[in-house]
Amino acid sequence: MNTTPPDWNAYLAQMESVLGVELDDARRAELQLQFSRIASMAAPLMALPLDDRQEIAGVYKA
């Protein structure tokens, strides 16, 4: 399991470029805070070991 914390600065910069939006420093800082909170809440679930025979969820394709 990867224990390196995500680089939210790089992620947000990439998303700004891909989506063609420009965030001001206050919005960028708030998004970084929210992403960090979400990652903290998801960490215990992501660390839950799954049985090798556990089926994965299907992926919807339109």
Side-chain angles (χ1 to χ4, degrees):
M1 181 173 184
N2 186 0
T3 58
T4 305
D7 183 354
W8 297 122
N9 285 326
Y11 176 78
L12 286 171
Q14 291 170 0
M15 289 300 103
E16 285 181 72
S17 177
V18 168
L19 297 173
V21 297
E22 188 172 331
L23 300 173
D24 61 26
D25 290 339
R27 287 179 188 254
R28 193 175 295 110
E30 184 61 29
L31 279 170
Q32 290 174 2
L33 176 64
Q34 294 303 330
F35 285 146
S36 294
R37 287 178 177 162
I38 292 166
S40 294
M41 288 187 284
L45 180 61
M46 297 302 291
L48 183 69
L50 295 177
D51 183 41
D52 289 338
R53 296 174 291 173
Q54 183 73 33
E55 290 186 31
I56 61 170
V59 176
Y60 175 78
K61 295 181 182 177

